Every structure is written in C-alpha cells, then in structure tokens.
Amino acid sequence: MSWAITYHVYSEIAHVRTILAGFLALVEMRNVPSAILLSRHVFEWTALACYLHQHLKGFISQKMWQQAFDLLLQSDTGNQWARNHGPAYETLPFPDEILDPIEINKLIAAYAKYQKKTYGKSNTFDSYGFLSEFTHPNSACLGQYRDSQGATRHHCPAADPIDLRGIKGFLIEWLMFMQELLGLANEHEVREKVTTMLPALAESLK
C-alpha cells in the first residue's frame, strides 16, 4: 500500500508542477484568461488530494487494504473518455477494466467539508463556481474585453489583474495533502522537501 500511495503522489506532483510552470508563464505574460483555466485545474487536483487523504486515512487505520487499493486504482486509472469512446479508436485488451474517474462533485464536496472543519467555514463551492464560469462560453469570458463609460461601450484588453480566488491558498493546501499522503506511505525524502516549502509559501500570503 505504501508503494501504491507513493507512486500516485509522485505522479501527481510531477503533473501539478508542470501545470504550475505553465501557469506562472501565463501570469508573466499577463494572459489572465488562460491562467484562470489552469487555476481551476490545480483546484481540482487539490480537491482530489483532499478526497484521497480523507478516505485513505480511514481505510489504512482500519486495515481495509482492498478498499484503499480500489480507491487508488480508480484515481490512477479512471478515464471516462477511454471507457466510453476508446474502443472506437483502439482495441483494448481489457475494456471492461477501464474505470470511471471519481466524480468531481464528490471531490469538491470533500474539499468543502475539510475547509469547514478546519476553518469553520468554506468558500469551496463559490471559488470553484467562479473558476468554472471562465471555462464555458458565457459573459464571464466576454466581459473581460469590454468596458463602458456611461452609454458608451468599447472593447479593451483583458482586465489585469483579476481575482484568481487565492490560487496560493489552495496550492498550500494541495502541498499539505501531498505531505499527509506521503506520511501515510511512510515516505520521507520528498515529504521533507514538501515540508520545507510550506512555511515560505505561507509567508508569501501575508
């Protein structure tokens, strides 16, 4: 079980680290609309990390190894597109073994539960809804390029800065969940590096 958790966490860190490199490049370019899309992506990975920690902690404490492994298997191999459409493009050896991913509403609900328990309140649904609006074709996107002076309307560059709903805040929580998951796996090398990063990142929020 320790190996399975470590394998997942290492892969997740590699992915989110790559996404954050792109996010920072977009911020430097002042490409806020694109940065918002990646911000939502990191938010969802934070929610997944929260969900995994909540459930794996309980499974492991009760020595429910099969349930723990099944959860990790779903989070690692779940792919709805491959399950629904993959066979049309490739003959898969075991098509019935492709799992559905964990539903996003369950992940967001777990993250909201964590925040309410930790801070006494939660803006998880509000923040996720805000970020999600910018991934759909609607006025949230178009409004970034419009301005008005009285009855006059005109186009303008995308507003800068725009509220990214505290990406640093949920990035810190993502790192905390990574730290906790590595603790469940009794992994030390990467966990120590994550631990040393947290104080400096938290200080940057002040």
Side-chain angles (χ1 to χ4, degrees), residues 2-36:
S2 294
W3 179 88
I5 294 173
T6 302
Y7 184 69
H8 173 87
V9 172
Y10 280 10
S11 300
E12 185 169 332
I13 288 175
H15 176 67
V16 173
R17 180 176 59 190
T18 304
I19 294 299
L20 288 174
F23 174 85
L24 293 173
L26 290 169
V27 170
E28 187 173 345
M29 295 166 57
R30 298 183 180 274
N31 189 339
V32 176
S34 297
I36 291 177

Side-chain angles (χ1 to χ4, degrees), residues 181-196:
L181 288 169
L182 290 172
L184 291 177
N186 294 313
E187 195 277 353
H188 301 290
E189 182 178 356
V190 173
R191 187 170 189 262
E192 289 177 1
K193 293 178 181 179
V194 172
T195 301
T196 58

Side-chain angles (χ1 to χ4, degrees), residues 126-148:
D126 175 35
S127 297
Y128 186 64
F130 173 84
L131 295 173
S132 296
E133 282 301 300
F134 289 87
T135 68
H136 306 304
N138 58 31
S139 63
C141 298
L142 299 179
Q144 299 174 89
Y145 309 96
R146 296 171 175 171
D147 198 2
S148 63

Side-chain angles (χ1 to χ4, degrees), residues 77-84 86-87 92 94-100:
T77 66
N79 187 321
Q80 192 171 45
W81 184 91
R83 182 178 175 86
N84 295 338
L92 303 173
F94 305 104
D96 294 336
E97 294 185 8
I98 298 176
L99 303 176
D100 282 326

Side-chain angles (χ1 to χ4, degrees), residues 37-149:
L37 304 183
L38 293 187
S39 182
R40 172 185 160 168
H41 189 63
V42 176
F43 193 98
E44 290 181 343
W45 280 102
T46 302
L48 172 64
C50 177
Y51 184 91
L52 289 177
H53 179 251
Q54 285 181 7
H55 288 78
L56 288 175
K57 185 177 180 180
F59 289 151
I60 291 173
S61 67
Q62 299 177 57
K63 298 183 178 181
M64 300 170 66
W65 308 120
Q66 187 61 54
Q67 289 87 340
F69 181 78
D70 289 344
L71 177 60
L72 282 169
L73 187 66
Q74 185 181 16
S75 66
D76 262 29
T77 66
N79 187 321
Q80 192 171 45
W81 184 91
R83 182 178 175 86
N84 295 338
H85 306 288
Y89 297 88
E90 181 180 356
T91 301
L92 303 173
F94 305 104
D96 294 336
E97 294 185 8
I98 298 176
L99 303 176
D100 282 326
I102 303 169
E103 296 172 358
I104 188 63
N105 63 315
K106 293 181 179 179
L107 306 183
I108 300 302
Y111 192 21
K113 179 181 178 181
Y114 160 82
Q115 286 197 333
K116 189 168 185 179
K117 181 178 179 181
T118 304
Y119 309 115
K121 61 179 182 179
S122 171
N123 63 351
T124 303
F125 292 104
D126 175 35
S127 297
Y128 186 64
F130 173 84
L131 295 173
S132 296
E133 282 301 300
F134 289 87
T135 68
H136 306 304
N138 58 31
S139 63
C141 298
L142 299 179
Q144 299 174 89
Y145 309 96
R146 296 171 175 171
D147 198 2
S148 63
Q149 295 178 347

